[in-house]
């Protein structure tokens, strides 16, 4: 996690009912010629402008690098921060002889870069051995401010059924080791090898949440609380809920859309809690299946409806969710932007669909890598 606060100062009085949101994004560093992952994080960090270094950090592998937007209420500030950081990091990577990709995992086969030299990471490698992913596993995390941990746990219960369809929005890693995996998000498949990756369970209380963490650490499934890799959790450092649902998005537009939908989902959960409405009862194993389906199909196929467990077109379920979030999106001033961004996503397709279209057109993964690099910098949406 980047070294910056995940919640902004309290908003002005006229915005007191609005929620802050912040975004973390992880990127892959690759060779500009071959597209294979390269262990270049230290060289890239040296090239980052000094005024931005507090928002840039190493990740787990030396082929990864992470940014964090300063949190705020306005989506425009998130857009500005992500655009600025992506552009600066892409230029730093080029000066270091690498290329920056907003992609879930490396599409081109090559040597697996080493893990960053850090005592905690060394312990993870020692305990979990071959669970360490391939060229780099790059996700997007969204933080939304909540008033207190007890309320935060209730929010987790309310949002958990809807996270698979949001995961489907983010799919951006169809290729791995030089071939099409058959999944829209291969990163998700690799990520689920870690024993603490799972849908968030239904939680009776904040004490139940804390007790599960203690028990999981005692069992050896996790080294520490930082390894609680549920798709939604309470931040261990900040007064936020943190949703960790999918691949890093290919463009800033995609990232802003996901941030707005996540905040709308949390705000709607808070409205339901205040009104005494219970969360949707959704079986844990149905959620496991729904997340698998999201990783496999993305938005271009089917999704599991959490209200009845049946398959339906993913876009239909997404539109149902957006309709449910309508009042919260309006309250935050996000509705018009979300509508426009959804239209753009429908036109261009998910990141996975865009990569596959490029490969179908040229038959070259080098062209896929070049396309993703352009999207990362904001040069083209597709």
């Amino acid at each position: 996690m980047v070294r910056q606060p995940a919640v902004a100062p309290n908003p002005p009085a006229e915005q007191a009912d609005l929620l802050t949101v912040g975004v973390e994004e992880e990127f892959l560093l690759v060779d500009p010629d071959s597209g294979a992952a390269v262990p270049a994080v230290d060289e890239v960090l040296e090239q980052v402008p000094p005024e931005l270094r507090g928002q840039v950090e190493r990740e787990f592998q030396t082929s990864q690098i992470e940014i964090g937007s300063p949190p705020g209420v306005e989506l425009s500030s998130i857009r500005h921060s992500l655009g600025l950081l992506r552009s600066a990091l892409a230029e730093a990577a080029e000066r270091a002889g690498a290329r920056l990709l907003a992609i879930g995992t490396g599409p081109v086969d090559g040597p697996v870069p080493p893990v960053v030299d850090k005592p905690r990471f060394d312990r993870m490698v020692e305990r979990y051995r071959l669970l360490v992913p391939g060229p780099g596993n790059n996700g997007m995390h969204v933080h939304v401010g909540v008033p207190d941990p007890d309320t935060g746990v209730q929010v987790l219960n309310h949002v958990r059924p809807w996270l698979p369809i949001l995961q489907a929005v983010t799919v951006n890693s169809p290729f791995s080791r030089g071939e099409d995996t058959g999944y829209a998000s291969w990163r998700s498949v690799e990520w689920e090898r870690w024993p603490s990756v799972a849908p968030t369970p239904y939680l009776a209380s904040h004490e139940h949440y804390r007790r599960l963490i203690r028990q999981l650490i005692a069992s050896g499934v996790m080294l520490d609380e930082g390894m609680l890799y549920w798709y939604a959790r309470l931040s261990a450092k900040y007064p936020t809920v943190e949703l960790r649902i999918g691949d890093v998005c290919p463009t800033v537009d995609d990232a802003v859309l996901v941030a707005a939908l996540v905040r709308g989902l949390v705000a709607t959960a808070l409205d339901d809690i205040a009104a005494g409405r219970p969360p949707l009862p959704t079986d844990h194993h149905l959620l496991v299946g729904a997340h698998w389906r999201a990783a496999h199909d993305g938005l271009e196929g089917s999704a599991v409806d959490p209200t009845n467990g049946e398959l339906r077109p993913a876009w239909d379920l997404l539109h149902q969710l957006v309709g449910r979030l309508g009042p919260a999106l309006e309250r935050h001033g996000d509705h018009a932007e979300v509508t426009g961004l959804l239209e753009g996503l429908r036109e261009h397709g998910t990141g996975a669909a865009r990569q596959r279209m490029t490969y179908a057109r040229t038959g070259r993964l080098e062209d896929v890598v070049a396309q993703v690099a352009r999207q990362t910098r904001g040069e083209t949406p597709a």
Side-chain angles (χ1 to χ4, degrees), residues 160-195:
R160 59 193 288 272
W162 301 101
L163 298 187
I165 191 60
L166 292 186
Q167 179 186 359
V169 175
T170 74
V171 292
N172 190 32
S173 51
F175 297 101
S176 179
R177 295 178 175 85
E179 61 182 275
D180 193 320
T181 65
Y183 285 77
S185 173
W186 187 247
R187 181 209 65 90
S188 298
V189 177
E190 290 190 327
W191 183 234
E192 287 170 0
R193 295 185 301 182
W194 292 93

Side-chain angles (χ1 to χ4, degrees), residues 59-62 112-118 121-122 124-125 132-133:
E59 235 297 315
F60 185 63
Q61 286 172 266
T62 53
V112 176
V115 171
V116 168
D117 186 12
K118 186 177 179 180
F121 293 165
D122 291 341
M124 290 172 68
V125 172
V132 175

Side-chain angles (χ1 to χ4, degrees), residues 37 46 289 304 331 340:
E46 290 177 359
V304 177
R331 186 164 70 245

Side-chain angles (χ1 to χ4, degrees), residues 29-224:
L29 300 169
V30 301
D31 182 275
D33 296 320
S34 70
V38 290
V41 65
D42 289 336
E43 292 82 357
V44 174
L45 283 171
E46 290 177 359
Q47 298 297 327
V48 173
E51 65 272 17
L52 297 179
R53 288 179 184 172
Q55 296 169 253
V56 182
E57 182 65 279
R58 294 172 181 83
E59 235 297 315
F60 185 63
Q61 286 172 266
T62 53
S63 51
Q64 297 176 279
I65 196 163
E66 180 181 9
I67 64 171
S69 72
V73 171
E74 301 293 335
L75 285 185
S76 58
S77 67
I78 301 298
R79 176 183 296 280
H80 173 77
S81 296
L82 293 180
L84 176 66
L85 286 164
R86 281 180 174 228
S87 177
L89 205 55
E91 292 173 3
E94 290 172 10
R95 288 193 294 270
R99 179 180 261 176
L100 185 76
L101 299 184
I103 195 167
T105 192
V108 176
D109 199 11
V112 176
V115 171
V116 168
D117 186 12
K118 186 177 179 180
R120 179 173 179 267
F121 293 165
D122 291 341
R123 293 197 301 275
M124 290 172 68
V125 172
E126 181 180 3
R127 176 171 297 181
Y128 303 104
R129 304 302 291 268
L130 289 180
L131 291 185
V132 175
N137 196 289
N138 305 299
M140 173 189 183
H141 307 155
V142 182
H143 287 261
V144 181
V146 291
D148 57 75
D150 292 304
T151 303
V153 164
Q154 295 182 68
V155 167
L156 297 181
N157 288 338
H158 279 261
V159 303
R160 59 193 288 272
W162 301 101
L163 298 187
I165 191 60
L166 292 186
Q167 179 186 359
V169 175
T170 74
V171 292
N172 190 32
S173 51
F175 297 101
S176 179
R177 295 178 175 85
E179 61 182 275
D180 193 320
T181 65
Y183 285 77
S185 173
W186 187 247
R187 181 209 65 90
S188 298
V189 177
E190 290 190 327
W191 183 234
E192 287 170 0
R193 295 185 301 182
W194 292 93
S196 55
V197 175
T200 308
Y202 184 87
L203 299 158
S205 63
H206 184 232
E207 172 51 36
H208 181 205
Y209 180 89
R210 300 303 312 173
R211 183 170 67 252
L212 280 174
I213 290 174
R214 292 192 297 270
Q215 290 169 336
L216 289 171
I217 292 172
S219 75
V221 165
M222 309 188 315
L223 291 179
D224 50 39

Side-chain angles (χ1 to χ4, degrees), residues 8 12 59 112 114 139 144 188 296 318 322 333 361 379:
E59 235 297 315
V112 176
V144 181
S188 298
H296 186 273
L318 179 59
V322 173
R361 187 172 64 249
E379 295 176 5

